[in-house]
PDB file of all heavy atoms in Angstrom:
ATOM      1  N   GLN A1320      -0.328  12.957   0.726  1.00  0.00           N
ATOM      2  CA  GLN A1320      -0.716  14.365   0.882  1.00  0.00           C
ATOM      3  C   GLN A1320      -0.091  15.194  -0.222  1.00  0.00           C
ATOM      4  O   GLN A1320       1.014  14.918  -0.677  1.00  0.00           O
ATOM      5  CB  GLN A1320      -0.249  14.899   2.234  1.00  0.00           C
ATOM      6  CG  GLN A1320      -0.973  14.311   3.429  1.00  0.00           C
ATOM      7  CD  GLN A1320      -0.603  15.018   4.722  1.00  0.00           C
ATOM      8  OE1 GLN A1320       0.030  14.432   5.598  1.00  0.00           O
ATOM      9  NE2 GLN A1320      -1.000  16.272   4.836  1.00  0.00           N
ATOM     10  N   SER A1321      -0.836  16.202  -0.638  1.00  0.00           N
ATOM     11  CA  SER A1321      -0.296  17.156  -1.608  1.00  0.00           C
ATOM     12  C   SER A1321      -0.851  18.541  -1.330  1.00  0.00           C
ATOM     13  O   SER A1321      -1.979  18.655  -0.807  1.00  0.00           O
ATOM     14  CB  SER A1321      -0.645  16.703  -3.031  1.00  0.00           C
ATOM     15  OG  SER A1321      -2.041  16.742  -3.256  1.00  0.00           O
ATOM     16  N   PRO A1322      -0.093  19.573  -1.636  1.00  0.00           N
ATOM     17  CA  PRO A1322       1.313  19.505  -2.009  1.00  0.00           C
ATOM     18  C   PRO A1322       2.174  19.218  -0.784  1.00  0.00           C
ATOM     19  O   PRO A1322       1.691  19.212   0.335  1.00  0.00           O
ATOM     20  CB  PRO A1322       1.582  20.922  -2.529  1.00  0.00           C
ATOM     21  CG  PRO A1322       0.652  21.780  -1.725  1.00  0.00           C
ATOM     22  CD  PRO A1322      -0.581  20.964  -1.523  1.00  0.00           C
ATOM     23  N   ARG A1323       3.461  18.965  -0.959  1.00  0.00           N
ATOM     24  CA  ARG A1323       4.353  18.756   0.173  1.00  0.00           C
ATOM     25  C   ARG A1323       4.771  20.087   0.779  1.00  0.00           C
ATOM     26  O   ARG A1323       5.012  20.184   1.976  1.00  0.00           O
ATOM     27  CB  ARG A1323       5.582  17.969  -0.245  1.00  0.00           C
ATOM     28  CG  ARG A1323       5.305  16.537  -0.645  1.00  0.00           C
ATOM     29  CD  ARG A1323       4.828  15.680   0.550  1.00  0.00           C
ATOM     30  NE  ARG A1323       5.689  15.823   1.715  1.00  0.00           N
ATOM     31  CZ  ARG A1323       6.777  15.108   1.927  1.00  0.00           C
ATOM     32  NH1 ARG A1323       7.146  14.189   1.043  1.00  0.00           N
ATOM     33  NH2 ARG A1323       7.504  15.281   3.019  1.00  0.00           N
ATOM     34  N   HIS A1324       4.854  21.079  -0.070  1.00  0.00           N
ATOM     35  CA  HIS A1324       5.216  22.430   0.390  1.00  0.00           C
ATOM     36  C   HIS A1324       4.300  23.423  -0.319  1.00  0.00           C
ATOM     37  O   HIS A1324       3.979  23.252  -1.500  1.00  0.00           O
ATOM     38  CB  HIS A1324       6.678  22.768   0.065  1.00  0.00           C
ATOM     39  CG  HIS A1324       7.647  21.815   0.650  1.00  0.00           C
ATOM     40  ND1 HIS A1324       8.169  21.949   1.910  1.00  0.00           N
ATOM     41  CD2 HIS A1324       8.203  20.685   0.138  1.00  0.00           C
ATOM     42  CE1 HIS A1324       9.012  20.969   2.167  1.00  0.00           C
ATOM     43  NE2 HIS A1324       9.048  20.180   1.108  1.00  0.00           N
ATOM     44  N   VAL A1403       2.969  22.809   9.759  1.00  0.00           N
ATOM     45  CA  VAL A1403       2.934  21.559   8.992  1.00  0.00           C
ATOM     46  C   VAL A1403       1.568  20.915   9.270  1.00  0.00           C
ATOM     47  O   VAL A1403       1.203  20.734  10.442  1.00  0.00           O
ATOM     48  CB  VAL A1403       4.071  20.623   9.362  1.00  0.00           C
ATOM     49  CG1 VAL A1403       3.974  19.335   8.523  1.00  0.00           C
ATOM     50  CG2 VAL A1403       5.424  21.279   9.159  1.00  0.00           C
ATOM     51  N   TYR A1404       0.863  20.583   8.227  1.00  0.00           N
ATOM     52  CA  TYR A1404      -0.449  19.983   8.326  1.00  0.00           C
ATOM     53  C   TYR A1404      -0.347  18.505   7.946  1.00  0.00           C
ATOM     54  O   TYR A1404       0.135  18.172   6.876  1.00  0.00           O
ATOM     55  CB  TYR A1404      -1.449  20.695   7.423  1.00  0.00           C
ATOM     56  CG  TYR A1404      -1.754  22.093   7.911  1.00  0.00           C
ATOM     57  CD1 TYR A1404      -0.902  23.155   7.637  1.00  0.00           C
ATOM     58  CD2 TYR A1404      -2.890  22.359   8.684  1.00  0.00           C
ATOM     59  CE1 TYR A1404      -1.152  24.434   8.108  1.00  0.00           C
ATOM     60  CE2 TYR A1404      -3.154  23.645   9.143  1.00  0.00           C
ATOM     61  CZ  TYR A1404      -2.284  24.666   8.854  1.00  0.00           C
ATOM     62  OH  TYR A1404      -2.557  25.937   9.322  1.00  0.00           O
ATOM     63  N   PHE A1405      -0.780  17.654   8.876  1.00  0.00           N
ATOM     64  CA  PHE A1405      -0.732  16.217   8.650  1.00  0.00           C
ATOM     65  C   PHE A1405      -2.137  15.654   8.476  1.00  0.00           C
ATOM     66  O   PHE A1405      -3.083  16.054   9.166  1.00  0.00           O
ATOM     67  CB  PHE A1405      -0.089  15.493   9.823  1.00  0.00           C
ATOM     68  CG  PHE A1405       1.391  15.721   9.932  1.00  0.00           C
ATOM     69  CD1 PHE A1405       1.905  16.581  10.885  1.00  0.00           C
ATOM     70  CD2 PHE A1405       2.280  15.046   9.108  1.00  0.00           C
ATOM     71  CE1 PHE A1405       3.271  16.781  10.998  1.00  0.00           C
ATOM     72  CE2 PHE A1405       3.640  15.238   9.212  1.00  0.00           C
ATOM     73  CZ  PHE A1405       4.145  16.123  10.163  1.00  0.00           C
ATOM     74  N   CYS A1406      -2.250  14.721   7.579  1.00  0.00           N
ATOM     75  CA  CYS A1406      -3.432  13.896   7.441  1.00  0.00           C
ATOM     76  C   CYS A1406      -3.071  12.510   7.933  1.00  0.00           C
ATOM     77  O   CYS A1406      -1.948  12.032   7.716  1.00  0.00           O
ATOM     78  CB  CYS A1406      -3.857  13.873   5.976  1.00  0.00           C
ATOM     79  SG  CYS A1406      -5.249  12.803   5.607  1.00  0.00           S
ATOM     80  N   PHE A1419       0.140   8.222   9.461  1.00  0.00           N
ATOM     81  CA  PHE A1419       0.276   9.617   9.075  1.00  0.00           C
ATOM     82  C   PHE A1419       0.875   9.750   7.679  1.00  0.00           C
ATOM     83  O   PHE A1419       1.758   8.974   7.283  1.00  0.00           O
ATOM     84  CB  PHE A1419       1.176  10.359  10.069  1.00  0.00           C
ATOM     85  CG  PHE A1419       0.508  10.713  11.354  1.00  0.00           C
ATOM     86  CD1 PHE A1419       0.183   9.733  12.293  1.00  0.00           C
ATOM     87  CD2 PHE A1419       0.182  12.029  11.644  1.00  0.00           C
ATOM     88  CE1 PHE A1419      -0.437  10.052  13.495  1.00  0.00           C
ATOM     89  CE2 PHE A1419      -0.436  12.361  12.847  1.00  0.00           C
ATOM     90  CZ  PHE A1419      -0.742  11.392  13.762  1.00  0.00           C
ATOM     91  N   GLY A1420       0.412  10.785   6.978  1.00  0.00           N
ATOM     92  CA  GLY A1420       1.069  11.163   5.736  1.00  0.00           C
ATOM     93  C   GLY A1420       2.323  11.952   6.025  1.00  0.00           C
ATOM     94  O   GLY A1420       2.641  12.237   7.185  1.00  0.00           O
ATOM     95  N   PRO A1421       3.048  12.331   4.973  1.00  0.00           N
ATOM     96  CA  PRO A1421       4.320  13.044   5.154  1.00  0.00           C
ATOM     97  C   PRO A1421       4.146  14.509   5.538  1.00  0.00           C
ATOM     98  O   PRO A1421       5.114  15.156   5.921  1.00  0.00           O
ATOM     99  CB  PRO A1421       4.983  12.923   3.778  1.00  0.00           C
ATOM    100  CG  PRO A1421       3.837  12.814   2.839  1.00  0.00           C
ATOM    101  CD  PRO A1421       2.775  12.039   3.572  1.00  0.00           C
ATOM    102  N   GLY A1422       2.918  15.007   5.433  1.00  0.00           N
ATOM    103  CA  GLY A1422       2.654  16.385   5.824  1.00  0.00           C
ATOM    104  C   GLY A1422       2.789  17.383   4.687  1.00  0.00           C
ATOM    105  O   GLY A1422       3.458  17.122   3.680  1.00  0.00           O
ATOM    106  N   THR A1423       2.125  18.520   4.865  1.00  0.00           N
ATOM    107  CA  THR A1423       2.254  19.671   3.962  1.00  0.00           C
ATOM    108  C   THR A1423       2.788  20.823   4.787  1.00  0.00           C
ATOM    109  O   THR A1423       2.161  21.225   5.773  1.00  0.00           O
ATOM    110  CB  THR A1423       0.900  20.072   3.349  1.00  0.00           C
ATOM    111  OG1 THR A1423       0.415  19.033   2.515  1.00  0.00           O
ATOM    112  CG2 THR A1423       1.060  21.367   2.552  1.00  0.00           C
ATOM    113  N   ARG A1424       3.951  21.339   4.376  1.00  0.00           N
ATOM    114  CA  ARG A1424       4.515  22.502   5.082  1.00  0.00           C
ATOM    115  C   ARG A1424       3.962  23.753   4.424  1.00  0.00           C
ATOM    116  O   ARG A1424       4.253  24.028   3.260  1.00  0.00           O
ATOM    117  CB  ARG A1424       6.039  22.476   5.028  1.00  0.00           C
ATOM    118  CG  ARG A1424       6.666  23.670   5.759  1.00  0.00           C
ATOM    119  CD  ARG A1424       8.181  23.556   5.842  1.00  0.00           C
ATOM    120  NE  ARG A1424       8.579  22.415   6.651  1.00  0.00           N
ATOM    121  CZ  ARG A1424       8.686  22.431   7.965  1.00  0.00           C
ATOM    122  NH1 ARG A1424       8.407  23.545   8.635  1.00  0.00           N
ATOM    123  NH2 ARG A1424       9.097  21.366   8.611  1.00  0.00           N
TER     124      ARG A1424
ATOM    125  N   GLU B 629       9.291  13.630   8.286  1.00  0.00           N
ATOM    126  CA  GLU B 629       8.264  12.626   8.061  1.00  0.00           C
ATOM    127  C   GLU B 629       7.066  12.831   8.987  1.00  0.00           C
ATOM    128  O   GLU B 629       7.119  13.631   9.919  1.00  0.00           O
ATOM    129  CB  GLU B 629       8.826  11.227   8.270  1.00  0.00           C
ATOM    130  CG  GLU B 629       9.962  10.872   7.340  1.00  0.00           C
ATOM    131  CD  GLU B 629      10.471   9.449   7.552  1.00  0.00           C
ATOM    132  OE1 GLU B 629       9.819   8.680   8.282  1.00  0.00           O
ATOM    133  OE2 GLU B 629      11.512   9.119   6.967  1.00  0.00           O
ATOM    134  N   GLY B 630       5.996  12.072   8.727  1.00  0.00           N
ATOM    135  CA  GLY B 630       4.880  12.057   9.633  1.00  0.00           C
ATOM    136  C   GLY B 630       5.147  11.116  10.806  1.00  0.00           C
ATOM    137  O   GLY B 630       6.155  10.422  10.849  1.00  0.00           O
TER     138      GLY B 630
END
Side-chain angles (χ1 to χ4, degrees):
Chain A
Q1320 291 188 247
S1321 65
R1323 293 294 310 274
H1324 302 272
V1403 180
Y1404 291 81
F1405 289 103
C1406 176
F1419 282 71
T1423 295
R1424 181 173 295 276
Chain B
E629 299 182 10

